Amino acid sequence: ETEAVVQVFFVRDGKLIGREHYYMTHVPENNKPAILQDFVKQFYAGTPFIPRELMLQYEIEDAELIEKWLSERKGSRVYLKVPKIGSKEKLVELAAQNAKLVLSQDREKLKREEGRTIGAVKEISDLLQLPLTGTARMEAYDISNINGFENVGSMVVYEKGKPKRSDYRKFKIKSVSGPDDYACMREVLTRRFRHGMEESRELEEQEMDQEYGSFTKFPDLILMDGGRGQVNIALSVLEELGIDIPVCGMVKDDNHRTRGLYYHNIELPIDTHSEGFKLITRIQDEAHRFAIEYHRSLRSKTQVRSVLDDIPGVGPARRKALMRHFKSLEEIRQATVEDLMEIPEMNERTAQEIVAFFASQKRPPVVQS
C-alpha cells in the first residue's frame, strides 16, 4: 500500500560486502519505479560515497538527470543500469527478494503488535459494551503507602493500547495522614480533574486551540485498581465535578492476580488468554509499579535528608548538592574527602566532617566492665 522496503547491496570487485534495508512511507501506490527513483535521490543526497555503477530493479524516469547529478558529485562518470542477464541481474533479483521478505515479516510483526494493543482495546470495548476506538485514552490510578507513611498516588496513561509515559503523573497526598486508600484516591482524582478543568477554561479564555498539558485531555475510560469501593469513589468525584466518564475496576483474586472487570455493579468475567485481559493486567501492574517507585524515592530522600541534617556544616544547599551528586545514602557513606570535594558547594572542613561522621557510625561500641 503506502509503505515500502528498499534493499541495498554493496558490491566491490564482484563480491557482496554489505547490505542494508530502508523503510519508505507515504509512497505512491503500485508505482515501484517512482518509489525507486525517490529512494535513489534521497539516499545519495545524504551519503558522501557515490559508486561508479548503480544496478536498479526498474528503469526510472529521470535516469539521465540523476546520472549527471551523481557524476558531478563523484567527479567521474556514474552509470545507472537495469541488468537483464548474468550475475548482476541475479544480485538485483536477490535484493528484491530480500526486500519483499523484510516487508512481509514486518507486516506480520505489526499485525501481532496491533492485536496486543489496538485489538486488545477493542476487546475491552466489546466486553464493557462501550464505543471505544482502538486509539482510546485510558487512565489508571493506584495508591501506595506503608502504614500511612508518605501516601502517594500514581496516574498512568495508555493510548492505542500502549503506555504514554509523557502523560504519567505522580501525586503526593496532602489531605490524608493515615492509611486510608479511599480518601487518598478521592484527593488524587479530584486534583487531577479539577486541574484539567482549570486548564480547559484557560484555553477557552485565551481562545487557544492547542492542548495545554496532559491534564486537559480527559480519558475515554478510567480503570481503578480495585472493585466496588474504588469505582464508587471515582464515580462520586466525577459526579461532583459534573464530568461523565465510564469507570470500571480491575478486580484481583486472593493471589493478587487480575481476574476481571467491575462495571455497572457487576463483575464481568474475562478470558484470561485474551489480549484484552493481558492489556488490563499490564495496565494494573504499571500503575502499581509507578506508585511504588515514587513512594520509594520519597522514602529514600527522607532517609538521606534526616541523616545529613545531623552533620555539622551541612545545611540545605549542601544537602541538596550531596543528594544530587550521589545516587544513594550508601554512596555518600563510602565517599572520601576527595570524592566530596568534587561538589562545587563543598569545602574541605565540611567534607572531613562528613567522612568523620560516617566513620564514627562504623566503629564498634566500647564495652566497659
Side-chain angles (χ1 to χ4, degrees):
E1 296 179 355
T2 60
E3 296 182 354
V5 170
V6 179
Q7 176 78 53
V8 182
F9 283 175
F10 302 97
V11 183
R12 300 291 179 271
D13 300 323
K15 296 179 180 179
L16 182 63
I17 63 167
R19 61 185 179 181
E20 191 65 71
H21 63 263
Y22 299 87
Y23 293 92
M24 296 184 71
T25 57
H26 308 295
V27 298
E29 290 188 49
N30 303 318
N31 193 340
K32 293 181 180 180
I35 296 170
L36 191 60
Q37 176 167 294
D38 288 344
F39 174 80
V40 168
K41 290 177 180 177
Q42 292 175 40
F43 184 76
Y44 289 104
T47 180
F49 177 77
I50 308 295
R52 185 176 62 85
E53 186 177 44
L54 270 70
M55 296 177 283
L56 307 179
Q57 186 182 9
Y58 304 103
E59 298 281 356
I60 59 177
E61 188 175 336
D62 296 337
E64 289 185 17
L65 193 62
I66 293 173
E67 273 189 351
K68 184 180 178 181
W69 167 61
L70 292 175
S71 296
E72 289 174 355
R73 289 200 61 205
K74 183 176 177 63
S76 60
R77 184 68 194 272
V78 174
Y79 300 88
L80 268 63
K81 296 180 179 179
V82 180
K84 303 296 184 184
I85 58 172
S87 60
K88 292 183 179 180
E89 189 273 337
K90 289 178 181 177
L91 270 175
V92 171
E93 179 59 29
L94 182 59
Q97 291 173 5
N98 279 23
K100 188 175 182 180
L101 182 63
V102 169
L103 187 60
S104 64
Q105 286 175 340
D106 270 32
R107 277 182 178 158
E108 286 301 313
K109 183 180 176 182
L110 287 170
K111 191 175 180 181
R112 290 195 300 272
E113 178 65 14
E114 208 169 85
R116 68 186 292 273
T117 55
I118 294 174
V121 175
K122 184 68 169 60
E123 287 182 16
I124 296 169
S125 174
D126 293 342
L127 179 67
L128 301 177
Q129 296 184 348
L130 289 171
L132 300 176
T133 64
T135 59
R137 178 186 175 97
M138 298 186 289
E139 292 182 3
Y141 300 85
D142 194 16
I143 301 296
S144 179
N145 65 60
I146 296 179
N147 296 326
F149 173 76
E150 292 284 17
N151 288 312
V152 300
S154 70
M155 167 183 134
V156 300
V157 180
Y158 275 63
E159 286 187 1
K160 299 180 182 179
K162 299 178 183 178
K164 189 177 181 184
R165 292 185 174 84
S166 61
D167 283 4
Y168 283 18
R169 290 296 179 266
K170 306 168 184 175
F171 300 84
K172 191 172 182 180
I173 305 302
K174 301 174 181 177
S175 63
V176 185
S177 57
D180 188 338
D181 284 1
Y182 288 169
C184 291
M185 187 60 74
R186 179 178 291 279
E187 180 186 322
V188 167
L189 292 169
T190 302
R191 284 167 56 187
R192 183 263 179 269
F193 287 106
R194 276 188 178 160
H195 193 163
M197 293 168 72
E198 288 166 6
E199 285 184 349
S200 296
R201 278 196 294 271
E202 287 180 24
L203 281 175
E204 290 174 6
E205 289 169 3
Q206 298 170 17
E207 298 183 352
M208 297 169 70
D209 294 329
Q210 74 268 27
E211 290 180 13
Y212 185 77
S214 62
F215 284 128
T216 313
K217 193 173 182 181
F218 283 4
D220 301 297
L221 177 66
I222 294 173
L223 296 161
M224 304 302 297
D225 185 46
R228 181 195 299 267
Q230 293 283 13
V231 169
N232 287 341
I233 289 291
L235 290 172
S236 67
V237 169
L238 294 175
E239 186 179 0
E240 289 169 11
L241 298 175
I243 301 171
D244 183 20
I245 300 172
V247 181
C248 70
M250 300 178 287
V251 185
K252 292 184 177 180
D253 59 21
D254 294 337
N255 296 315
H256 214 62
R257 292 177 302 202
T258 308
R259 74 179 185 211
L261 290 177
Y262 180 83
Y263 185 62
H264 282 334
N265 297 318
I266 299 172
E267 185 176 323
L268 302 170
I270 183 169
D271 178 7
T272 56
H273 299 290
S274 68
E275 293 297 343
F277 175 82
K278 293 173 185 175
L279 176 58
I280 291 166
T281 303
R282 288 197 299 273
I283 293 173
Q284 192 169 38
D285 291 345
E286 180 69 353
H288 193 53
R289 178 202 66 78
F290 193 54
I292 289 175
E293 188 180 85
Y294 180 41
H295 189 257
R296 282 176 181 161
S297 72
L298 288 180
R299 289 201 336 255
S300 175
K301 287 177 182 177
T302 303
Q303 181 188 26
V304 173
R305 186 178 294 112
S306 62
V307 171
L308 296 180
D309 283 342
D310 296 333
I311 304 174
V314 178
R318 286 196 181 120
R319 184 181 65 205
K320 286 181 182 177
L322 282 162
M323 293 168 67
R324 194 166 48 241
H325 187 80
F326 295 99
K327 293 180 180 178
S328 66
L329 178 61
E330 189 57 32
E331 282 196 12
I332 301 174
R333 195 189 303 275
Q334 300 295 333
T336 64
V337 171
E338 290 74 20
D339 295 333
L340 294 165
M341 287 299 292
E342 292 177 7
I343 302 173
E345 294 86 348
M346 190 62 62
N347 59 41
E348 188 172 358
R349 181 177 176 180
T350 305
Q352 290 172 348
E353 289 279 9
I354 294 170
V355 171
F357 175 83
F358 286 116
S360 68
Q361 292 188 333
K362 296 177 185 177
R363 292 173 190 157
V366 177
V367 180
Q368 294 181 337
S369 59

